Amino acid sequence: MAADTLADRVRAVDLLWAFKRACDRHINDGMPMVHFRLLTGDAAYRRSMLDRALEFADPDMRRIASELKAMDAAGRIPDDITTTTAEFRSAAFGHGQATDGIGDAATTVGSEPPRAPRHSPLAAARQRPATMASMALAALMIAGSLLLYGLSGDREHVVDTRITTDTVWESGNAYILAGQTFVENGAELTIEPGVTIKGDSGSALVITRDARIFARGTRERPIVFTSVHPPGTRAAGDWGGLVLLGNAPVNRADAHVEGISADDARGDFGGDAADDSCGVLEFVRVEFAGFELARNVELNGLTLGGCGSATIVRHVQVHRGLDDGVEIFGGNVDLSHIVITGADDDAFDWDMGWQGRVQFLLVQLHPDIGDNAFEADNDGDDPDAEPRSEPHFSNVTLLASRRSRALHRAMVIRRGSAGHFRNVLISGFNGEAIDLRGADVSRLVADRRLDFAGIALHASGPTPDRPLPAERGADDDDGGFSENDFILTQRRGGLVGANGLTPRALDPVRPVFTMQSEVAGVIPAPLPKDEFWDEGATFIGAMLPGEAADWTLGWTAYPEQ
């Protein structure tokens, strides 16, 4: 069989992306979710998916699958293309360097000295007279770089080293994460307004314990973490995500973030500093994250582990993540003005003793994907572990279509998590609006560590007139506790005939979240009196009713690809 060439590898990557897109169109027709990382890195998985695709009538899918199988049979595709991606990038740019497209190498990003290019055919071509072969090779490198990184008006810099000294990513630039990038050794990473960070396959930005990030965008110039692939070819799971780790209390002694090797201390988090700071995220968008590390193991769009009360997270959107949108592991970080759209698992997830506060949170689940808007845990092995998860929420809007073929629940509170929920609008959802689980639910309610007030339920639940159905027999997972009696009969919430939102609130591409009117029929609950809460937000849901403009405008975006 013929050996694969660089041209074959570029062609294979291009075809595999087209193949994934074709498969995505048939998820509801019996085609499973196809993961690009496994297509490029696992030959057996790739071949099984190609064989399965040939069973479908879609001519584009069959054509792409047939070409890939023919290339594979001829030995023109290596078993693991992911290893050649780095080689390809090194060949195109020189190791640790980036180009402005066509031209000399641009700046190396990171705190370590740049390393000399190794075996760069492009560099070698510049050292000898041009030939047709060398010109073709250079053109192939450039074409491949555009395939991998997309076109951008910004000057692009590849980040492929750890960051150990204070570093600034400047406006007017784009930064490409070539792998897991760790900010460590107490370093501070500052990201200026308008910067775009593009994640390559398998990449992530990890702010380790004792380091900090200062990503302060503006409404007009948000900071965007996105896929390295150009618009129109992006998908959930293209890259890993943004991870912030700190020294605030958690309820596990060995807290370590998923996705980083267990023997790598850079993944550890938690401590005794309740007022610890992981840094600042303001007017930041994270999209197409959640890279699959292994089967059923993905990173989240935004992960906060052991981040303390001095951390600032406000005006942040997480869009189209392959796993959870936001997941918080312990600590007591506060959040405000958060938008989560199109999460492929849970939108907002917490455990390990998180005790923060959230005001103005908007969640929109997309049709036919996703699971719960909220999934709350304390500790699966020890539900009574201290500190206990006990966050406070107010002014929350949770949205899903009742016609979705995926089972969507608004809130699942379980495994010992407490919590306080005020002024929440739950609209849609074909599963339980609120599902409290665990034998300790009654005790948490009696101790006033789990409570609800000002809960508006609109067209929610298996049947809209019964959004909190009784659980019997094997389905009784809370010792006979009745969510219906607790929330509706005791007037902590009520059913409403209209949600006050525009008809486009569920539009996944062009949503409008402005409230046309107040949510009538439920009395808003008063807010606690401290410096965090906007005490003027005496309304149900995340938006002030009657305003012509909403707080999501100008810095959020909702691309399909």
Side-chain angles (χ1 to χ4, degrees):
M1 292 191 295
D4 63 272
T5 66
L6 187 58
D8 288 334
R9 301 174 195 179
V10 172
R11 176 61 177 165
V13 170
D14 195 11
L15 285 171
L16 287 170
W17 267 110
F19 177 69
K20 174 173 171 54
R21 296 297 175 268
C23 293
D24 287 347
R25 295 195 296 268
H26 292 280
I27 288 176
N28 295 326
D29 301 325
M31 191 70 188
M33 172 71 76
V34 173
H35 301 294
F36 186 71
R37 176 178 180 270
L38 294 177
L39 285 178
T40 59
D42 185 332
Y45 173 85
R46 179 170 65 243
R47 289 162 186 154
S48 69
M49 291 298 102
L50 293 175
D51 289 340
R52 187 159 185 172
L54 291 175
E55 300 173 2
F56 283 76
D58 185 328
D60 287 338
M61 182 188 289
R62 293 170 63 89
R63 175 184 58 78
I64 296 167
S66 296
E67 182 174 348
L68 284 164
K69 285 181 67 68
M71 290 181 68
D72 187 33
R76 295 169 56 199
I77 305 178
D79 286 349
D80 185 355
I81 305 178
T82 59
T83 60
T84 66
T85 304
E87 296 167 2
F88 172 81
R89 180 168 53 246
S90 177
F93 299 131
H95 189 75
Q97 294 183 315
T99 68
D100 292 332
I102 302 174
D104 294 332
T107 307
T108 298
V109 178
S111 61
E112 296 181 345
R115 289 164 287 181
R118 294 183 298 172
H119 311 299
S120 169
L122 186 56
R126 289 175 177 154
Q127 302 300 317
R128 60 177 181 268
T131 64
M132 289 299 292
S134 66
M135 291 171 63
L137 180 58
L140 179 60
M141 298 298 162
I142 293 166
S145 71
L146 295 178
L147 170 67
L148 285 174
Y149 298 136
L151 295 167
S152 171
D154 296 329
R155 180 178 174 87
E156 293 189 337
H157 305 265
V158 172
V159 183
D160 66 351
T161 65
R162 58 198 182 102
I163 297 173
T164 59
T165 61
D166 293 354
T167 300
V168 178
W169 291 355
E170 298 177 341
S171 297
N173 295 326
Y175 296 84
I176 297 169
L177 303 177
Q180 288 191 348
T181 299
F182 294 89
V183 182
E184 54 186 293
N185 195 39
E188 294 183 353
L189 172 63
T190 299
I191 306 178
E192 295 183 341
V195 168
T196 298
I197 299 93
K198 302 177 182 181
D200 202 348
S201 179
S203 69
L205 179 61
V206 183
I207 312 302
T208 64
R209 189 162 53 181
D210 298 325
R212 293 182 183 180
I213 183 172
F214 294 96
R216 292 186 174 98
T218 66
R219 186 178 300 276
E220 297 76 20
R221 303 180 68 199
I223 293 166
V224 180
F225 291 82
T226 189
S227 166
V228 76
H229 299 286
T233 67
R234 301 175 297 188
D238 276 353
W239 67 291
L242 179 58
V243 181
L244 278 61
L245 305 177
N247 295 288
V250 301
N251 61 21
R252 290 188 191 175
D254 57 348
H256 188 90
V257 72
E258 187 177 70
I260 298 175
S261 175
D263 58 2
D264 188 341
R266 294 178 297 182
D268 296 342
F269 61 90
D272 299 323
D275 60 350
D276 183 52
S277 173
C278 291
V280 177
L281 300 178
E282 190 166 22
F283 290 109
V284 169
R285 192 164 74 240
V286 181
E287 56 189 27
F288 303 111
F291 182 84
E292 187 178 52
L293 300 161
R295 294 181 191 272
N296 300 317
V297 178
E298 297 93 8
L299 290 173
N300 308 296
L302 173 61
T303 300
L304 302 169
C307 290
S309 61
T311 307
I312 295 174
V313 180
R314 58 193 180 202
H315 291 94
V316 172
Q317 180 189 14
V318 181
H319 178 68
R320 292 293 313 276
L322 185 63
D323 196 39
D324 299 335
V326 174
E327 184 158 12
I328 305 179
F329 297 96
N332 46 5
V333 56
D334 299 326
L335 303 88
S336 70
H337 297 88
I338 306 299
V339 180
I340 305 173
T341 45
D344 208 5
D345 194 0
D346 304 313
F348 199 109
D349 194 331
W350 67 85
D351 55 15
M352 290 195 193
W354 174 52
Q355 297 189 336
R357 300 166 294 185
V358 180
Q359 188 173 24
F360 307 118
L361 167 65
L362 196 153
V363 170
Q364 182 204 61
L365 298 187
H366 283 187
D368 305 327
I369 64 171
D371 195 356
N372 308 310
F374 282 3
E375 184 173 271
D377 296 294
N378 185 46
D379 186 280
D381 298 325
D382 181 8
D384 290 322
E386 293 287 350
R388 185 187 295 273
S389 295
E390 191 174 353
H392 291 251
F393 287 84
S394 188
N395 302 105
V396 175
T397 298
L398 307 179
L399 304 173
S401 171
R402 293 198 68 254
R403 295 190 293 271
S404 175
R405 280 178 280 189
L407 178 61
H408 288 155
R409 296 181 178 90
M411 294 188 189
V412 174
I413 315 295
R414 62 183 191 177
R415 295 175 179 169
S417 179
H420 308 271
F421 306 90
R422 298 176 180 87
N423 304 332
V424 179
L425 169 61
I426 298 174
S427 181
F429 296 91
N430 52 17
E432 298 94 320
I434 300 173
D435 185 12
L436 307 180
R437 301 180 185 176
D440 53 356
V441 169
S442 295
R443 175 166 53 86
L444 291 171
V445 167
D447 292 342
R448 298 185 179 181
R449 300 191 69 176
L450 178 61
D451 61 45
F452 296 78
I455 310 299
L457 304 174
H458 170 257
S460 298
T463 56
D465 60 345
R466 191 70 174 176
L468 307 171
E471 299 169 342
R472 297 183 176 86
D475 294 329
D476 182 1
D477 54 14
D478 53 20
F481 184 86
S482 172
E483 290 90 346
N484 186 79
D485 291 349
F486 175 51
I487 294 173
L488 297 183
T489 304
Q490 298 183 31
R491 300 193 178 184
R492 290 178 167 84
L495 307 184
V496 298
N499 61 15
L501 291 159
T502 73
R504 286 176 55 186
L506 281 175
D507 188 323
V509 180
R510 293 174 296 277
V512 176
F513 296 121
T514 304
M515 295 291 289
Q516 296 178 314
S517 63
E518 293 186 4
V519 178
V522 176
I523 300 174
L527 275 68
K529 295 186 181 297
D530 65 45
E531 76 288 348
F532 173 76
W533 302 104
D534 178 354
E535 296 180 35
T538 55
F539 51 85
I540 305 296
M543 296 286 172
L544 177 63
E547 287 219 325
D550 66 55
W551 52 261
T552 68
L553 296 181
W555 59 279
T556 58
Y558 309 91
E560 290 184 279
Q561 296 179 335

